[in-house]
Amino acid sequence: MLSKKTRYAFRALSYLGENYGKGPILISDISKAKKIPLKFLENILNELKKADLLESKKGKGGGYSLKVSPKKINLATVIRVINGPIALLPCVSLNFYERCEDCDETYCGIRKVMTITRDATLKILEKKTLHDIIFASI
Amino acid sequence: MLSKKTRYAFRALSYLGENYGKGPILISDISKAKKIPLKFLENILNELKKADLLESKKGKGGGYSLKVSPKKINLATVIRVINGPIALLPCVSLNFYERCEDCDETYCGIRKVMTITRDATLKILEKKTLHDIIFASI
DNA sequence: TAATATCCTACCAATTTAGTAGGGGATATT
DNA sequence: AATATCCCCTACTAAATTGGTAGGATATTA
Ligand code: FES
Ligand code: FES
């Protein structure tokens, strides 16, 4: 399951997507509009910025905005940044790979199934973008 | 990601599957063969029993065995018993549904994508059985 | 230089995860 | 009936993760 933090991230990004092209948006505005605890949201947006999905501006007239169009931000990327691995096992993860002790990857049946599952999941999550979820929700 | 406990469950079930039809298998045998902490495994097997996947016998000559053939135990069931929901959001879960506060399901774009993802995942995990992972790993 | 707004570090409580410890109860053999 | 075997149950615990808070440092604008 995705963490609450990840769901907050999606909601915040949706808001930024809805306001794409309108200049910097205040954290406090997003916090109010999407009912996300302000200081927690601050952290989330900062992580998204470090992952190069957002850009920010300090001082008056500052705030956050999407770095690229909502059509270019896919959901898999967001989940990886905030939630971590998408695969169900570390030995199957493309971006967070870790070897399994006491298990030979070449002959592991569980791993084979989880690889298929991962591919099916990614096929969807890498295709669906912020734009898709904003548009679907109007 | 699946918990370590879930991975232990798969390994234990694989062992029981490999020995299907040979009568009760000792927890300690599974523990040794699959390198799973004994007391932890005890707990796991008991949960699988309560979920009606295993049957047990006490006393000498006792142990655990699969209640049905490895071909009839699908991976989704196992994950649900030990790990919990398969869906990425509670509002999308078929077996562990919970409503999202501050979010209208009818218009929620995230939910739509996660529903598609869940279906794709289930299509695989409900089809693949214990037999598949045992056979693939030989 | 004052006001504004993000950035950074540190802390915290609650929950979950990954176990351990120890005895109780059922069963089979002797 | 005694005993050894083996699952069952309750309770406890350490460590990690989750979901936050608090407070100040830093950058920007006016
Ligand atoms: S589960 Fe990772 S290699 Fe078997
Ligand atoms: S995320 Fe569950 S309804 Fe929107």
Side-chain angles (χ1 to χ4, degrees), chain A residues 89-92 97-112 114, chain B residues 7 11:
Chain A
L89 293 175
C91 62
V92 168
Y97 174 83
E98 269 174 71
R99 204 186 139 270
C100 288
E101 349 169 24
D102 306 325
C103 203
D104 186 340
E105 290 193 4
T106 335
Y107 304 115
C108 179
I110 304 166
R111 187 170 186 273
K112 287 198 175 82
M114 295 310 163
Chain B
R7 275 172 263 166
R11 298 237 296 269

Short mmCIF file of all heavy atoms in Angstrom, two decimals, chain A residues 89-92 97-112 114, chain B residues 7 11, ligand 1:
data_model
loop_
_atom_site.label_atom_id
_atom_site.label_comp_id
_atom_site.label_asym_id
_atom_site.label_seq_id
_atom_site.Cartn_x
_atom_site.Cartn_y
_atom_site.Cartn_z
N LEU A 89 9.06 -7.27 -4.40
CA LEU A 89 10.24 -7.84 -3.75
C LEU A 89 11.47 -7.01 -4.10
O LEU A 89 11.59 -6.54 -5.23
CB LEU A 89 10.47 -9.28 -4.22
CG LEU A 89 9.44 -10.34 -3.83
CD1 LEU A 89 9.79 -11.67 -4.48
CD2 LEU A 89 9.38 -10.48 -2.31
N PRO A 90 12.40 -6.87 -3.18
CA PRO A 90 13.62 -6.10 -3.45
C PRO A 90 14.43 -6.67 -4.62
O PRO A 90 15.02 -5.92 -5.39
CB PRO A 90 14.40 -6.18 -2.15
CG PRO A 90 13.74 -7.20 -1.31
CD PRO A 90 12.35 -7.37 -1.80
N CYS A 91 14.40 -7.99 -4.75
CA CYS A 91 15.20 -8.65 -5.79
C CYS A 91 14.60 -8.45 -7.18
O CYS A 91 15.19 -8.88 -8.17
CB CYS A 91 15.35 -10.13 -5.49
SG CYS A 91 13.77 -11.00 -5.49
N VAL A 92 13.45 -7.81 -7.22
CA VAL A 92 12.74 -7.61 -8.49
C VAL A 92 12.74 -6.13 -8.88
O VAL A 92 12.42 -5.78 -10.00
CB VAL A 92 11.29 -8.14 -8.35
CG1 VAL A 92 10.42 -7.72 -9.49
CG2 VAL A 92 11.28 -9.66 -8.20
N TYR A 97 17.01 -2.22 -6.30
CA TYR A 97 17.38 -3.63 -6.23
C TYR A 97 18.20 -4.00 -4.99
O TYR A 97 19.11 -3.28 -4.61
CB TYR A 97 18.19 -4.04 -7.46
CG TYR A 97 18.72 -5.44 -7.36
CD1 TYR A 97 17.92 -6.52 -7.69
CD2 TYR A 97 20.02 -5.68 -6.89
CE1 TYR A 97 18.41 -7.82 -7.58
CE2 TYR A 97 20.50 -6.98 -6.77
CZ TYR A 97 19.69 -8.02 -7.11
OH TYR A 97 20.16 -9.31 -6.99
N GLU A 98 17.83 -5.12 -4.37
CA GLU A 98 18.64 -5.73 -3.33
C GLU A 98 18.56 -7.24 -3.49
O GLU A 98 17.49 -7.78 -3.73
CB GLU A 98 18.11 -5.38 -1.94
CG GLU A 98 18.71 -4.12 -1.34
CD GLU A 98 18.01 -3.78 -0.03
OE1 GLU A 98 18.22 -4.50 0.96
OE2 GLU A 98 17.25 -2.81 -0.01
N ARG A 99 19.68 -7.88 -3.29
CA ARG A 99 19.72 -9.32 -3.43
C ARG A 99 18.99 -10.00 -2.27
O ARG A 99 18.97 -9.49 -1.16
CB ARG A 99 21.19 -9.79 -3.43
CG ARG A 99 21.40 -11.11 -4.13
CD ARG A 99 22.82 -11.60 -3.97
NE ARG A 99 22.81 -13.05 -3.72
CZ ARG A 99 22.75 -13.60 -2.53
NH1 ARG A 99 22.72 -12.85 -1.45
NH2 ARG A 99 22.73 -14.91 -2.39
N CYS A 100 18.36 -11.16 -2.55
CA CYS A 100 17.73 -11.95 -1.49
C CYS A 100 18.75 -12.93 -0.94
O CYS A 100 19.36 -13.68 -1.70
CB CYS A 100 16.57 -12.77 -2.03
SG CYS A 100 15.12 -11.81 -2.45
N GLU A 101 18.88 -12.95 0.38
CA GLU A 101 19.75 -13.99 0.95
C GLU A 101 18.96 -15.30 0.94
O GLU A 101 17.75 -15.31 0.93
CB GLU A 101 20.14 -13.67 2.40
CG GLU A 101 19.82 -12.28 2.87
CD GLU A 101 20.00 -12.15 4.38
OE1 GLU A 101 20.76 -12.94 4.95
OE2 GLU A 101 19.37 -11.24 4.96
N ASP A 102 19.70 -16.37 0.94
CA ASP A 102 19.08 -17.70 0.98
C ASP A 102 18.12 -17.94 -0.16
O ASP A 102 17.10 -18.60 0.02
CB ASP A 102 18.33 -17.92 2.30
CG ASP A 102 19.21 -17.65 3.51
OD1 ASP A 102 20.41 -17.96 3.43
OD2 ASP A 102 18.69 -17.15 4.51
N CYS A 103 18.39 -17.41 -1.31
CA CYS A 103 17.50 -17.62 -2.45
C CYS A 103 18.28 -17.40 -3.74
O CYS A 103 18.93 -16.38 -3.92
CB CYS A 103 16.34 -16.62 -2.36
SG CYS A 103 14.88 -17.15 -3.26
N ASP A 104 18.22 -18.40 -4.62
CA ASP A 104 18.93 -18.29 -5.89
C ASP A 104 18.02 -17.71 -6.97
O ASP A 104 17.06 -18.34 -7.40
CB ASP A 104 19.43 -19.68 -6.31
CG ASP A 104 20.32 -19.61 -7.55
OD1 ASP A 104 20.23 -18.59 -8.28
OD2 ASP A 104 21.08 -20.55 -7.79
N GLU A 105 18.35 -16.51 -7.40
CA GLU A 105 17.50 -15.78 -8.35
C GLU A 105 17.20 -16.56 -9.63
O GLU A 105 16.12 -16.44 -10.20
CB GLU A 105 18.16 -14.46 -8.72
CG GLU A 105 18.16 -13.46 -7.58
CD GLU A 105 18.51 -12.06 -8.04
OE1 GLU A 105 18.69 -11.85 -9.26
OE2 GLU A 105 18.62 -11.18 -7.17
N THR A 106 18.18 -17.32 -10.07
CA THR A 106 18.01 -18.03 -11.34
C THR A 106 16.86 -19.03 -11.30
O THR A 106 16.18 -19.25 -12.30
CB THR A 106 19.29 -18.80 -11.71
OG1 THR A 106 20.40 -18.19 -11.07
CG2 THR A 106 19.49 -18.82 -13.20
N TYR A 107 16.69 -19.64 -10.12
CA TYR A 107 15.69 -20.70 -10.04
C TYR A 107 14.47 -20.32 -9.19
O TYR A 107 13.62 -21.15 -8.94
CB TYR A 107 16.33 -21.97 -9.46
CG TYR A 107 17.54 -22.41 -10.24
CD1 TYR A 107 18.80 -22.40 -9.67
CD2 TYR A 107 17.40 -22.82 -11.57
CE1 TYR A 107 19.92 -22.79 -10.40
CE2 TYR A 107 18.50 -23.20 -12.30
CZ TYR A 107 19.76 -23.20 -11.72
OH TYR A 107 20.85 -23.58 -12.45
N CYS A 108 14.42 -19.06 -8.76
CA CYS A 108 13.37 -18.67 -7.83
C CYS A 108 12.03 -18.42 -8.54
O CYS A 108 11.89 -17.50 -9.34
CB CYS A 108 13.79 -17.43 -7.07
SG CYS A 108 12.53 -16.87 -5.92
N GLY A 109 11.05 -19.25 -8.21
CA GLY A 109 9.74 -19.14 -8.85
C GLY A 109 8.96 -17.92 -8.40
O GLY A 109 8.26 -17.28 -9.19
N ILE A 110 9.09 -17.58 -7.13
CA ILE A 110 8.40 -16.39 -6.60
C ILE A 110 8.87 -15.16 -7.36
O ILE A 110 8.08 -14.31 -7.76
CB ILE A 110 8.70 -16.23 -5.09
CG1 ILE A 110 8.32 -17.49 -4.33
CG2 ILE A 110 7.97 -15.02 -4.53
CD1 ILE A 110 8.88 -17.54 -2.92
N ARG A 111 10.19 -15.09 -7.52
CA ARG A 111 10.77 -13.95 -8.21
C ARG A 111 10.22 -13.83 -9.64
O ARG A 111 9.95 -12.72 -10.11
CB ARG A 111 12.29 -14.09 -8.23
CG ARG A 111 12.98 -12.86 -8.78
CD ARG A 111 14.48 -12.94 -8.55
NE ARG A 111 15.09 -11.68 -8.98
CZ ARG A 111 15.48 -11.43 -10.22
NH1 ARG A 111 15.34 -12.36 -11.15
NH2 ARG A 111 16.00 -10.27 -10.54
N LYS A 112 10.06 -14.95 -10.30
CA LYS A 112 9.56 -14.92 -11.68
C LYS A 112 8.16 -14.30 -11.74
O LYS A 112 7.88 -13.44 -12.57
CB LYS A 112 9.52 -16.34 -12.26
CG LYS A 112 10.91 -16.88 -12.59
CD LYS A 112 10.84 -18.07 -13.56
CE LYS A 112 12.23 -18.52 -13.99
NZ LYS A 112 12.90 -19.41 -13.00
N MET A 114 6.78 -12.35 -9.49
CA MET A 114 6.81 -10.95 -9.07
C MET A 114 7.40 -10.04 -10.16
O MET A 114 7.08 -8.86 -10.22
CB MET A 114 7.60 -10.80 -7.77
CG MET A 114 6.95 -11.50 -6.59
SD MET A 114 5.18 -11.09 -6.39
CE MET A 114 4.62 -12.41 -5.32
N ARG B 7 7.40 -13.39 2.60
CA ARG B 7 8.38 -14.17 1.84
C ARG B 7 8.64 -15.50 2.55
O ARG B 7 8.76 -16.54 1.91
CB ARG B 7 9.69 -13.38 1.70
CG ARG B 7 9.64 -12.43 0.50
CD ARG B 7 10.85 -11.51 0.47
NE ARG B 7 10.52 -10.20 1.05
CZ ARG B 7 11.41 -9.28 1.40
NH1 ARG B 7 12.70 -9.53 1.25
NH2 ARG B 7 11.02 -8.13 1.90
N ARG B 11 8.06 -19.35 1.07
CA ARG B 11 9.10 -20.37 1.12
C ARG B 11 8.58 -21.61 1.85
O ARG B 11 8.80 -22.75 1.41
CB ARG B 11 10.34 -19.82 1.82
CG ARG B 11 10.97 -18.62 1.09
CD ARG B 11 12.44 -18.86 0.73
NE ARG B 11 13.27 -19.00 1.89
CZ ARG B 11 13.90 -18.02 2.52
NH1 ARG B 11 13.79 -16.78 2.08
NH2 ARG B 11 14.65 -18.25 3.56
S1 FES E 1 12.62 -14.11 -3.60
FE1 FES E 1 14.25 -12.89 -4.34
S2 FES E 1 15.45 -14.38 -5.33
FE2 FES E 1 13.89 -15.61 -4.52
#
